[in-house]
Amino acid sequence: KSSTTPHQTDLVHYANHVPTAYPGNVREILDVGKKLTLASMISGLAINLKLETSVCDGSQEFVLNPDEDLLLAEKFLKFTKEHPDYKRHFNPILLKPHVLLNEEELFTSKLPMIREISRAFRFDIWNNRHLKSDIGIVATGKSYYDLITALKELNISEDEVEIYKPMITWPPDMASFKEFAHGKKEIILIEEKQAFFETHVKSELFNETNRPVIVGKHDENGLPLFKENAGLDSDSIAMALGKRLSLKEQFKERQLEK
C-alpha cells in the first residue's frame, strides 16, 4: 500500500528478482523473519517481506518458545552440512562482464537454492492432507486467516478442506505444491490484490498432463472471482467461496450460495 498510489511490493521486487515472503499476522512477521534470515544467510540473497497494511497497523499478544529457535538452528546446521559445496559469489563491479556472472549465478544457483531451502525447512503449510480430496484451497499471508474466518461464516470446519499456505510466494516451492496439487481437479487460490502466487504456479503447472483447474482472480470462464483492487476480507472471501463450494457434492446441502 502507498499513501499516494496503490501498488503491491511483490510485483515490484519480482521485477528485480528479489524473493518474496508473505506473513499473515504480527506473530508471523517474527516467525517468518527468523526463517528468512537463515534462508538469506544460506543463499546469499536478500528477501522481501510483503506486509499488508492491517497487519502492520495491528497488534498481537503471543508467547515466544525458545525451543522453536533451537529446532530452527538445528535445521540450519544440518542443511549447511549437507550442502558443503554451495558457494555464494557476488562481484561489486556492476559492469559487464561481472554483472552477467552475477545474473547467471542468481538464476542457476541462488534462486533454486531458495526453493530447496523452502522444501527442506518445510516453510509451506499443508493442512488436512489426509483428506486426499479433489479440491484444495490455497491462501497466502493475511488471506489465510481471512479464509479461516470465512469458513466459519459458511459453517464449514477448517478441518473439512485441504488448505495450502505458502510462506515464500516467489520463487515458489513447486515440489511441495505439486504434491498438494496431485490428484486434485480444482484449486481455489486466494491472495491480496493482483495475482502473484497464482500466476507463478499456473505457469509451473502448465505442461503437467493432469493439471487441476486453478481459479483465483478469475474463474475458468474468465469471470471475476476474488477482486484484484483494494483488499480482501472474510466477508468477500465467504461470498465468492460459498458460490464455488456450493457446487461440490460434499457441500451441496449446506445452501452456501445464500
Side-chain angles (χ1 to χ4, degrees), residues 16 30 64 71 97 99 104 128 136 145 151 170 180 214 258:
N16 290 282
L30 178 62
L64 296 176
L71 181 61
V99 70
E104 180 182 2
N128 308 316
Y145 296 100
L151 290 173
W170 187 81
F180 170 77
I214 300 179
K258 296 182 179 180

Side-chain angles (χ1 to χ4, degrees), residues 168-215:
I168 294 179
T169 51
W170 187 81
D173 172 10
M174 285 308 301
S176 297
F177 187 81
K178 285 180 179 180
E179 285 185 9
F180 170 77
H182 180 71
K184 289 182 173 51
K185 296 179 180 179
E186 178 179 337
I187 292 176
I188 302 172
L189 206 152
I190 307 168
E191 59 185 331
E192 288 279 341
K193 304 203 79 168
Q194 295 181 55
F196 185 69
F197 188 73
E198 176 186 349
T199 300
H200 296 302
V201 296
K202 279 183 174 178
S203 175
E204 296 267 7
L205 292 175
F206 184 79
N207 289 324
E208 296 289 319
T209 303
N210 297 312
R211 65 182 183 271
V213 171
I214 300 179
V215 298

Side-chain angles (χ1 to χ4, degrees), residues 96-113:
K96 291 183 178 180
H98 306 289
V99 70
L100 298 180
L101 295 176
N102 289 344
E103 183 183 44
E104 180 182 2
E105 182 189 43
L106 174 67
F107 287 104
T108 62
S109 179
K110 289 182 176 179
L111 288 174
M113 177 55 73

Side-chain angles (χ1 to χ4, degrees), residues 3-258:
S3 57
T4 52
T5 59
H7 73 276
Q8 57 189 91
T9 57
D10 41 15
L11 293 172
V12 175
H13 285 276
Y14 171 67
N16 290 282
H17 314 307
V18 178
T20 290
Y22 188 5
N25 58 27
V26 175
R27 170 65 189 266
E28 285 191 3
I29 295 176
L30 178 62
D31 289 342
V32 172
K34 288 188 291 187
K35 293 174 181 177
L36 294 185
T37 298
L38 299 184
S40 180
M41 290 170 62
I42 296 171
S43 67
L45 288 174
I47 304 176
N48 168 53
L49 280 183
K50 176 180 177 176
L51 299 177
E52 205 272 346
T53 305
S54 62
V55 174
C56 294
D57 293 344
S59 62
Q60 187 177 1
E61 183 176 313
F62 51 86
V63 177
L64 296 176
N65 183 357
D67 292 338
E68 294 178 357
D69 292 341
L70 291 175
L71 181 61
L72 193 59
E74 289 174 2
K75 288 183 178 181
F76 172 77
L77 293 173
K78 181 176 182 290
F79 188 88
T80 53
K81 287 181 180 178
E82 292 174 346
H83 296 77
D85 298 327
Y86 178 73
K87 306 296 182 184
R88 298 163 298 168
H89 304 284
F90 183 83
N91 195 310
I93 302 176
L94 301 179
L95 297 172
K96 291 183 178 180
H98 306 289
V99 70
L100 298 180
L101 295 176
N102 289 344
E103 183 183 44
E104 180 182 2
E105 182 189 43
L106 174 67
F107 287 104
T108 62
S109 179
K110 289 182 176 179
L111 288 174
M113 177 55 73
I114 290 292
R115 293 180 188 258
E116 188 172 348
I117 293 169
S118 293
R119 174 77 167 172
F121 282 63
R122 296 184 179 180
F123 284 164
D124 294 357
I125 298 171
W126 178 0
N127 295 337
N128 308 316
R129 65 167 64 199
H130 64 278
L131 294 177
K132 297 181 179 179
S133 57
D134 61 1
I135 183 173
I137 303 176
V138 178
T140 66
K142 170 183 169 289
S143 295
Y144 170 81
Y145 296 100
D146 288 334
L147 167 65
I148 300 303
T149 303
L151 290 173
K152 291 179 180 177
E153 293 177 11
L154 294 169
N155 198 29
I156 297 175
S157 169
E158 60 186 271
D159 297 326
E160 292 184 79
V161 291
E162 289 186 55
I163 303 174
Y164 189 91
K165 181 180 182 294
M167 189 185 91
I168 294 179
T169 51
W170 187 81
D173 172 10
M174 285 308 301
S176 297
F177 187 81
K178 285 180 179 180
E179 285 185 9
F180 170 77
H182 180 71
K184 289 182 173 51
K185 296 179 180 179
E186 178 179 337
I187 292 176
I188 302 172
L189 206 152
I190 307 168
E191 59 185 331
E192 288 279 341
K193 304 203 79 168
Q194 295 181 55
F196 185 69
F197 188 73
E198 176 186 349
T199 300
H200 296 302
V201 296
K202 279 183 174 178
S203 175
E204 296 267 7
L205 292 175
F206 184 79
N207 289 324
E208 296 289 319
T209 303
N210 297 312
R211 65 182 183 271
V213 171
I214 300 179
V215 298
K217 295 305 170 185
H218 297 86
D219 65 15
E220 59 269 51
N221 298 313
L223 298 175
L225 188 58
F226 297 102
K227 63 180 182 178
E228 297 179 89
N229 62 301
L232 295 173
D233 56 26
S234 59
D235 291 340
S236 61
I237 291 174
M239 185 175 299
L241 188 61
K243 293 177 180 178
R244 296 293 303 189
L245 295 182
S246 66
L247 303 174
K248 309 304 174 185
E249 192 64 37
Q250 69 187 99
F251 299 115
K252 277 186 177 180
E253 297 181 0
R254 305 282 185 95
Q255 297 182 325
L256 300 179
E257 70 277 8
K258 296 182 179 180

